[in-house]
Amino acid sequence: MADGDVPERMQAAAFDEFGGPEVISLRKLPVPEVADDELLIKVWSAGVGVWDAYERQGVLVPEGAEFPIVPGSDGAGTVVAVGSQVTNVAPGDLVYVSATTRPKGGFYAEYAVTKAQYAAKLPEGVPVEHAGAMPTDALTALAGLDTLSLPAGAWLLIFGASGGQGHLAVQLAKRQGLNVIAVASGRDGVALVTRLGADVSLDGHGDPAEVLARIRDAAPEGVNGILAMAGGKTLDRLTEALSDGGVVAYAHGVQPEPSERPGMSVRAYDGVANPQQLQRLNELIEAGPFQVHVAETFPLGKAVEAHRRLQSSHPGKLLLTIV
């Protein structure tokens, strides 16, 4: 089934060799064909994440991908065609996608194909113009909360709370009834997490001893878990605020990995994109106002600049606007 006319070729940002941001260029490529278990999306927006840089460097290349490679694991847009086996979405639906497996190319393009299992209808309250920045980080944040599995009313410390994953984790944690201490980056980061509902907002650039003292003031019996979106000496110092038996959960790729010490445990996790997790994520998002904070947007033709911006600190997410 198809909705409207789909051209044979499209604009896409792609690369023919691995390397720095400069290997990406804008060119005309064929619109990928749709298999029975896939859907074709007219892309509105695409997230720009560190995993895209790893793909560009040749570190995280989707199995089966061939040059020219179109990067982009995250995207949102309108379904324009579906395969015969697809039942969860239909042409005309607004959807978002997190797809690390995509041999036919990613979302740095006017059109993209994905397996239906990685796509979900866009929940109420998230504009499609920003939704492309959300999927992988939101699913990863949800996996981190699942790893900790804290009961409502527990105290959660989120380290790196103003980043792409962190600012979404703040909102998802509050929806699960947790008390959130958000350690953010700088004044802008603190303002962001405060606006998003953190119970206590602290600047991670401050004196670690002072930050630790404020955490203990807020949770004198200790925090029950730490969700770490970054690593380092400050994080290791803040683990002193854990209650006995507390857990530090961190996403694979966080460097340096958190250090263990007696009375606590460290667990790694990965985000999972499947229909069940996508449904859970949508239900949590629709429970109240939800914000995908976009630090900066770039047109498709400026993907090189977006990848250069990845190398510097910024609150929230970076986004390519396709439409």
Side-chain angles (χ1 to χ4, degrees), residues 165-180:
Q165 185 189 152
H167 85 286
L168 301 175
V170 169
Q171 299 172 79
L172 296 175
K174 290 306 299 178
R175 281 158 167 72
Q176 294 185 4
L178 301 178
N179 297 307
V180 175

Side-chain angles (χ1 to χ4, degrees), residues 15-107:
F15 53 86
D16 296 300
E17 60 179 327
F18 300 123
E22 68 281 353
V23 301
I24 302 174
S25 65
L26 195 65
R27 74 276 302 276
K28 284 279 191 178
L29 294 175
V31 172
E33 295 185 0
V34 184
D36 289 344
D37 60 348
E38 295 176 336
L39 53 135
L40 177 68
I41 298 168
K42 183 173 178 60
V43 183
W44 288 57
S45 60
V48 180
V50 65
W51 43 85
D52 297 332
Y54 292 152
E55 180 178 357
R56 187 200 72 227
Q57 294 163 359
V59 178
L60 289 178
V61 181
E63 185 176 352
E66 297 179 352
F67 293 126
I69 293 175
V70 178
S73 298
D74 295 319
T78 305
V79 178
V80 294
V82 298
S84 60
Q85 298 174 6
V86 176
T87 58
N88 60 325
V89 297
D93 286 343
L94 292 175
V95 298
Y96 69 93
V97 180
S98 172
T100 54
T101 302
R102 43 187 164 75
K104 297 180 181 180
F107 290 90

Side-chain angles (χ1 to χ4, degrees), residues 30 72 108 124 127 144 158 178 211 228 255 262 264 270 294 314 317-318:
Y108 289 21
E124 292 291 331
I158 300 179
L178 301 178
V211 175
Q255 293 292 334
M264 60 166 278
D270 286 311
V294 176
H314 54 271
K317 293 288 297 182
L318 302 180

Side-chain angles (χ1 to χ4, degrees), residues 215-234:
I215 294 170
R216 285 173 166 158
D217 285 343
E221 297 182 6
V223 297
N224 306 101
I226 296 178
L227 202 54
M229 280 65 177
K233 293 181 179 179
T234 299

Side-chain angles (χ1 to χ4, degrees), residues 231-232 235-236 239 242 248 250 256-262 264-266:
L235 172 64
D236 289 338
T239 62
L242 275 169
V248 178
Y250 71 98
E257 295 178 359
S259 300
E260 282 200 9
R261 58 177 178 77
M264 60 166 278
S265 58
V266 175

Side-chain angles (χ1 to χ4, degrees), residues 298-315:
F298 302 83
L300 181 59
K302 299 289 186 181
V304 171
E305 286 80 352
H307 273 233
R308 288 180 177 143
R309 183 72 172 89
L310 265 179
Q311 299 167 4
S312 59
S313 177
H314 54 271

